[in-house]
């Protein structure tokens, strides 16, 4: 028996090149998605077996370069430099070869064995593009494998070529830049010869000429005199080219890629106006694009709410039946009621996850895979700029209407920490489906639908004001939107389902523990008979300032767990579902308003903690409590004047 | 030939980037996507107050309005 060899392989490529399709195809369900240690950057890993090898496959985040513009880029290049994967699979979108090759050149400089997986070759014909694969191989001096990932074609050959390279330990040779740059890079490389660095020396030299801050620091710590030499080499380059040296390198890389593209690529027929382009003329239209967007998103929301309400009442009926059964078997002792509270929390988690979050993710991933979310970002960029963020932020904000938890987690699509934080904060102000239950069930039903929509409008107004405020307070410049506009394509069902499943699992992992613990704690307080004391303690706020009945203090405690419990417990504690008998219209509006803002639910707090740390999560929580109480009190006074 | 910001170019027109008058960060970012001086681009679509969509090197990119104001181009 030969021993099983383990290989470390990474998938690297720009965004939207079909990396996750390849990853899903190769690893199937044997994958897990987590975070890079200490970073809020997603890390997807999986294992597969091929020809007696066990391959650990790591899907690097989709990035555009190996500079330190974003956290993803830094994480990726450190991984390649330090972990030295056995080989790299560089996934390239064949229909966008030229732009993709810019990243390929940078990867080659990392000097690890590398295979180029030329994906989407099946679409070349339709686009009238011809690529000479052999010639590309000769220029890059690495294996080039044509791949059609959605059909799984070419993937085994990619693995085979990679294993071959590993066996022979064939490392790629970086391509040469212009004469001056090469001369300086050579000098620097030899200066760096005896420094102990994990990165390839030539790569470090190029990065120094590009004025990469991280690498500069690294070298300066070890050999300050080299830093001095770098400065003079850079200014020499700048004198010759009349441009900043970082731009010179980027320019040369672009020129090199343009040359390669000219050598290997041919456009064989003038492109016709395709169906997708016509679709774009409609969906991105400067006027008609907006009603289209509102209709599409409106339809998605309507579907989710109708489906969610149906399934959630079905589940609620089922679970309440179980409670009677549980009590008849285990009795009403303290212990059994605490156990029941824990189980109830699990049910409540299922009661959100299945009816609301599951369809939300499913539909959203279909829209994403189809390519529509990029259009939404395009259309809403202007609006988002008013909040100090850019178009991509509309995706977390839209998600927030379903559930704040996935919305917080999706803030990662923003590039900088500042924008992530602003977006995350704004997301917690978005009325989620649980808040909708309160607004509709209380205000919509007993005060009037106009008032209910008024509350939504108020929430959106607050999001705008807070966005403006947050972008003023937080240091740093707003980033401009730069993104690729993907072509529309048929959503890949397997990718959509896998994505949905992994996200759903993530939700359960993050929210689960906190929801169960707080459920048990609240049940304990209830069993201990401390509710009246709490209601009393909170009465200066609830009764005096907000003008609500004292029992609302208890409701607000329950609401931390799940916001719709505010309404459910109101019915239980008052013994009626006809709230008009016990609350005035003003009180209903104030209660709904406070419920809307007063705290992120525990699951959201857990998500905030995961993304931004305890300090920020608690700051947002405390801010929201003070904010809601202030707004509620003012509203109560104003409404009483009417 | 006179230079003008990309933002002022009309839809469907083709231009060449002359220079980018932005911070280093923005310039690098654009270069990573293949937009450097000398690159030929076509304006595909403009929105009323928001970003614009362009085609360069065979792919389509969306560029924020503020950034488009910093890219100087000249007509082809």
């Amino acid at each position: 028996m030969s021993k099983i060899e383990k290989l470390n392989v990474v998938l690297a490529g720009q965004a939207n090149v079909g990396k996750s399709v390849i990853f899903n195809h190769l690893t199937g369900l044997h994958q897990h998605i987590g975070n890079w240690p200490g970073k809020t950057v997603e890390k997807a890993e999986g294992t597969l077996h091929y020809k007696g090898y066990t391959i650990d496959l790591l899907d690097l985040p989709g990035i555009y370069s190996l500079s330190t513009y974003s956290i993803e880029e830094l994480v990726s290049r450190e991984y390649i430099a330090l972990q030295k994967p056995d080989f790299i699979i560089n996934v390239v979108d064949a229909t966008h070869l030229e732009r993709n090759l810019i990243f390929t050149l940078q990867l080659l400089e990392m000097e690890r064995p590398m295979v180029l997986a030329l994906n989407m070759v099946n679409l070349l014909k339709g686009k009238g593009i011809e690529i000479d694969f052999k010639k590309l191989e000769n220029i890059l001096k690495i294996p080039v494998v044509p791949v059609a990932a959605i059909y799984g074609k070419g993937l085994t050959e990619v693995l085979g070529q990679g294993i071959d390279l590993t066996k022979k330990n064939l490392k790629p040779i970086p391509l040469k830049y212009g004469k001056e740059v090469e001369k300086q890079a050579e000098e620097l490389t030899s200066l760096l010869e005896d420094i102990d660095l994990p990165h390839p020396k030539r790569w470090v030299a190029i990065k120094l000429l590009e004025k990469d801050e991280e690498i500069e620091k690294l070298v300066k710590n070890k050999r300050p005199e080299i830093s001095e030499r770098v400065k003079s080499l850079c200014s020499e380059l700048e004198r010759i080219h009349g441009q900043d040296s970082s731009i010179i390198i980027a320019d040369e890389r672009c020129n090199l890629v343009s040359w390669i593209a000219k050598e290997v690529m041919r456009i064989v027929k003038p492109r016709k106006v395709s169906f997708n382009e016509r679709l774009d003329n409609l969906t991105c239209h400067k006027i008609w694009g907006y009603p289209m967007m509102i209709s599409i998103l409106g339809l998605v929301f309507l579907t989710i709410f109708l489906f969610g309400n149906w399934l959630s009442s079905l589940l609620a009926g089922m679970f309440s039946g179980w409670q009677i059964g549980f009590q008849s078997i285990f009795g009403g002792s303290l212990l059994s009621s605490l156990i029941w509270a824990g189980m109830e929390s699990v049910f409540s988690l299922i009661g959100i996850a299945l009816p609301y979050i599951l369809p939300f993710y499913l539909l959203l991933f279909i829209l994403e895979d189809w390519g529509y979310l990029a259009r939404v970002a395009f259309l809403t960029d202007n609006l988002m700029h008013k909040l100090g963020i850019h178009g991509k932020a509309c995706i977390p904000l839209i998600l927030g209407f379903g559930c704040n938890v996935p919305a917080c987690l999706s803030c990662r699509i923003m590039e900088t920490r500042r924008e992530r934080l602003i977006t995350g904060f704004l997301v917690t102000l978005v009325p989620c489906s649980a808040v909708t239950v309160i607004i509709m069930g209380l205000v919509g039903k007993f005060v009037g639908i106009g008032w209910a929509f008024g509350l939504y409008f108020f929430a959106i107004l607050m999001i705008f004001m807070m966005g403006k405020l947050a972008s003023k307070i937080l240091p740093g410049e707003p980033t401009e939107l730069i993104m690729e506009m993907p072509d529309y394509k048929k959503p890949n069902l397997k990718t959509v389902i896998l994505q949905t499943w992994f996200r759903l699992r993530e939700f359960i992992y993050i929210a689960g523990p906190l929801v169960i613990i707080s459920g048990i704690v609240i049940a304990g307080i209830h069993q201990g008979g401390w509710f009246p004391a709490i209601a009393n303690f909170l009465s200066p706020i609830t009764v005096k300032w907000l003008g609500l009945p004292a029992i609302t203090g208890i409701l607000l405690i329950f609401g931390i767990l799940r916001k719709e419990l505010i309404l459910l417990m109101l019915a239980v504690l008052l013994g009626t579902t006809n709230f008009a008998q016990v609350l005035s219209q003003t009180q209903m509006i104030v209660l709904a308003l406070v419920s809307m803002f007063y705290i992120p639910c525990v699951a959201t707090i857990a998500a905030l903690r995961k993304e931004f740390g305890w300090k920020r999560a608690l700051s947002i929580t405390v801010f929201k409590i003070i904010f809601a109480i202030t707004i509620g009190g003012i509203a109560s006074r104003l409404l009483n004047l009417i | 030939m006179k230079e003008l910001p990309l933002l002022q170019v009309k839809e469907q027109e083709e231009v060449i980037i002359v220079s980018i008058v932005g911070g280093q960060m923005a310039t690098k970012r654009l270069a990573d996507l293949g937009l450097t001086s000398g690159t030929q681009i076509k304006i595909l679509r403009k929105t009323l107050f928001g970003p614009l969509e362009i085609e360069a090197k065979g792919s389509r990119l969306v560029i924020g309005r503020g950034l488009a104001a910093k890219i100087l181009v000249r007509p082809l």
Side-chain angles (χ1 to χ4, degrees):
Chain A
M1 285 282 281
S2 64
K3 81 173 182 32
I4 295 168
E5 281 194 74
K6 266 181 113 72
L7 291 179
N8 270 318
V9 177
V10 299
L11 275 174
Q14 296 193 339
N16 294 318
V17 294
K19 245 159 28 79
S20 50
V21 179
I22 294 182
F23 184 68
N24 288 334
H25 199 95
L26 289 175
T27 60
L29 285 168
H30 305 282
Q31 48 175 282
H32 86 242
I33 298 171
N35 268 8
W36 292 83
K39 304 243 166 46
T40 47
V41 174
E42 203 166 271
K43 185 182 192 185
E45 287 174 296
T47 44
L48 66 126
H49 302 281
Y50 182 73
K51 288 195 175 163
Y53 289 89
T54 300
I55 298 178
D56 284 322
L57 190 63
L58 176 72
D59 186 13
L60 289 177
I63 51 182
Y64 285 103
S65 81
L66 288 172
S67 317
T68 45
Y69 183 86
S70 70
I71 324 163
E72 280 76 10
E73 293 172 356
L74 187 65
V75 163
S76 298
R77 77 177 196 195
E78 285 308 296
Y79 183 86
I80 297 174
L82 301 178
Q83 302 302 320
K84 303 202 186 308
D86 291 304
F87 66 94
I88 299 174
I89 300 174
N90 174 212
V91 185
V92 159
D93 174 357
T95 61
H96 295 126
L97 184 67
E98 191 168 344
R99 199 200 56 226
N100 275 242
L101 282 178
I102 298 174
F103 183 59
T104 303
L105 292 197
Q106 300 188 48
L107 273 179
L108 285 176
E109 287 170 356
M110 301 297 293
E111 294 176 35
R112 297 304 307 161
M114 184 161 121
V115 183
L116 193 123
L118 198 57
N119 193 15
M120 308 198 196
V121 287
N122 50 315
L123 301 177
L124 286 176
K125 219 176 186 172
K127 292 201 157 203
I129 304 172
E130 265 177 13
I131 295 177
D132 187 339
F133 304 133
K134 276 280 157 258
K135 203 165 183 185
L136 185 61
E137 208 166 63
N138 288 339
I139 293 174
L140 296 175
K141 299 187 185 68
I142 56 170
V144 172
V145 183
V147 167
I150 55 162
Y151 307 118
K153 265 189 201 154
L155 295 179
T156 46
E157 200 193 332
V158 170
L159 292 179
Q161 294 272 14
I163 291 170
D164 229 36
L165 289 181
T166 314
K167 272 195 217 145
K168 296 179 194 150
N169 199 22
L170 276 181
K171 288 173 194 161
I173 309 149
L175 296 182
K176 297 265 188 250
Y177 293 104
K179 231 178 23 221
E180 290 97 10
V181 175
E182 278 303 322
K183 205 183 98 210
Q184 313 235 2
E186 248 168 61
E187 185 189 328
L188 272 180
T189 312
S190 59
L191 280 177
L192 293 164
E193 206 54 66
D194 53 341
I195 310 186
D196 178 33
L197 283 174
H199 315 76
K201 296 291 151 62
R202 189 190 129 91
W203 180 80
V204 174
I206 299 280
K207 282 289 146 195
L208 286 173
L209 292 175
E210 276 188 281
K211 299 185 178 166
D212 187 287
E213 280 172 25
E214 294 289 320
I215 300 297
E216 261 171 20
K217 250 186 275 168
L218 203 70
V219 172
K220 199 168 185 173
N221 280 340
K222 301 204 173 195
R223 296 278 289 276
E225 76 277 8
I226 293 183
S227 285
E228 287 308 308
R229 185 67 192 136
V230 169
K231 271 193 199 120
S232 71
L233 286 175
C234 281
S235 49
E236 203 184 313
L237 263 185
E238 283 162 10
R239 197 176 44 78
I240 300 171
H241 289 260
Q243 259 181 325
D244 195 272
S245 66
S246 65
I247 311 292
I248 298 169
I249 308 260
D251 263 356
E252 295 220 348
R253 210 174 270 138
C254 277
N255 292 340
L256 203 52
V257 166
S258 292
W259 172 78
I260 298 174
K262 273 203 196 78
E263 289 288 309
V264 303
M265 210 169 80
R266 231 159 44 93
I267 309 284
V268 286
K269 62 172 185 203
R271 293 196 311 143
K272 291 186 298 199
V273 179
S274 66
F275 171 72
N276 283 342
E277 275 168 63
R278 256 181 251 142
L279 191 61
D280 250 342
N281 286 340
L282 189 63
T283 52
C284 293
H285 190 274
K286 58 186 74 159
I287 295 158
W288 301 120
Y290 293 93
M292 283 277 293
M293 177 177 78
I294 292 167
S295 321
I296 291 176
L297 294 181
L299 197 68
V300 166
F301 277 102
L302 196 68
T303 312
I304 292 158
F305 279 128
L306 291 179
F307 175 80
N309 288 343
W310 169 76
L311 187 61
S312 117
S313 57
L314 199 76
L315 287 173
M318 206 167 79
F319 294 149
S320 67
W322 291 357
Q323 182 174 19
I324 299 161
F326 182 87
Q327 277 167 347
S328 68
I329 298 168
F330 296 99
S333 73
L334 178 65
L335 184 68
S336 83
S337 60
L338 287 185
I339 292 173
W340 176 251
M343 285 169 62
E344 212 171 18
S345 303
V346 175
F347 297 151
S348 76
L349 211 59
I350 298 171
I352 306 172
L354 282 187
Y356 295 104
I357 298 181
L358 178 80
F360 216 93
Y361 269 140
L362 207 60
L363 291 176
L364 212 79
F365 281 126
I366 290 175
L367 284 185
E368 186 187 30
D369 215 40
W370 178 38
Y372 190 66
L373 287 189
R375 272 79 187 171
V376 175
F378 175 69
L379 291 170
T380 57
D381 184 49
N382 176 39
L383 192 69
M384 294 295 146
H385 263 287
K386 300 212 182 337
L387 310 181
I389 41 191
H390 62 62
K392 284 193 206 165
C394 66
I395 293 161
L397 290 177
I398 291 169
L399 266 172
F401 281 97
C403 175
N404 283 184
V405 175
C408 278
L409 300 177
S410 69
C411 290
R412 291 173 197 180
I413 57 163
M414 307 304 289
E415 286 92 352
T416 62
R417 211 180 292 263
R418 173 183 186 270
E419 279 155 332
R420 283 181 193 181
L421 189 61
I422 296 178
T423 315
F425 167 57
L426 295 182
V427 155
T428 66
L429 297 172
V430 176
C432 67
S433 51
V435 172
T436 300
V437 171
I438 302 174
I439 294 177
M440 287 303 169
L442 201 59
V443 178
K445 201 162 165 193
F446 295 101
V447 185
I449 198 76
W451 281 96
F453 282 116
L455 282 176
Y456 276 111
F457 181 74
F458 184 72
I460 292 168
L461 195 72
M462 284 300 117
I463 291 169
F464 268 86
M465 285 178 52
M466 289 300 142
K468 272 229 174 314
L469 196 70
S471 59
K472 287 242 159 60
I473 292 172
L474 285 173
E477 284 289 302
T479 333
E480 283 281 339
L481 177 70
I482 312 178
M483 63 167 197
E484 184 204 1
M485 187 69 116
D487 293 333
Y488 276 122
K489 66 171 167 52
K490 207 177 101 202
N492 181 299
L493 207 62
K494 191 175 174 187
T495 310
V496 168
I497 289 172
L498 275 176
Q499 293 270 50
T500 306
W501 161 240
F502 289 127
R503 293 299 156 178
L504 200 65
R505 201 172 61 175
E506 189 183 30
F507 168 79
I508 304 273
Y509 281 166
I510 292 173
L514 216 51
V515 170
I516 293 169
I517 291 168
S518 33
I520 295 173
V521 169
I522 290 177
I525 296 173
H526 183 43
Q527 290 291 321
W530 293 316
F531 271 162
I534 290 173
N536 229 350
F537 176 73
L538 291 175
S539 69
I541 296 171
T542 48
V543 180
K544 288 230 172 65
W545 171 245
L546 295 172
L548 296 172
I551 55 140
T552 47
I554 302 165
L555 300 181
L556 294 179
I557 299 286
F558 272 103
I560 301 173
L561 196 59
R562 271 201 311 155
K563 288 211 171 165
E564 73 270 31
L565 280 181
I566 292 175
L567 201 65
L568 298 180
M569 292 310 292
L570 186 66
V572 172
L573 292 177
L574 294 175
T576 173
T577 49
N578 185 6
F579 301 125
Q581 287 178 347
V582 282
L583 292 174
S584 72
Q585 294 199 333
T586 301
Q587 285 176 323
M588 289 189 204
I589 295 172
V590 172
L591 182 59
L593 192 64
V594 172
S595 312
M596 205 152 82
F597 292 125
Y598 83 108
I599 203 167
C601 68
V602 273
T604 308
I605 297 176
L608 284 173
R609 184 202 67 83
K610 180 156 186 280
E611 294 302 295
F612 308 110
W614 271 123
K615 214 178 100 196
R616 296 239 161 89
L618 291 179
S619 311
I620 291 176
T621 308
V622 171
F623 171 83
K624 285 192 74 181
I625 295 174
I626 297 169
F627 176 73
I629 292 172
T630 313
I631 295 268
I634 295 170
S636 147
R637 274 153 191 78
L638 288 179
L639 287 167
N640 277 328
L641 293 178
I642 300 172
Chain B
M1 273 298 205
K2 75 175 202 299
E3 287 170 19
L4 72 168
L6 180 62
L7 192 57
Q8 289 176 16
V9 180
K10 291 194 185 68
E11 278 181 15
Q12 298 306 317
E13 273 181 27
E14 292 189 45
V15 291
I16 281 186
I17 300 181
V18 177
S19 61
I20 292 156
V21 282
Q24 272 230 25
M25 208 60 135
T27 317
K28 273 285 310 175
R29 194 71 180 155
L30 289 171
D32 285 335
L33 289 162
L35 300 181
T36 54
S37 42
T39 309
Q40 188 178 327
I41 53 181
K42 181 178 177 188
I43 286 73
L44 293 179
R45 200 185 310 279
K46 291 170 88 173
T47 52
L48 290 179
F49 311 103
L52 29 88
E53 190 189 343
I54 60 163
E55 186 180 290
K57 306 194 166 171
S59 40
R60 295 152 66 193
L61 298 170
V62 172
I63 291 189
R65 204 173 181 79
L67 196 60
K70 292 176 184 159
I71 302 176
L72 289 181
V73 297
R74 69 176 159 76
L76 199 60

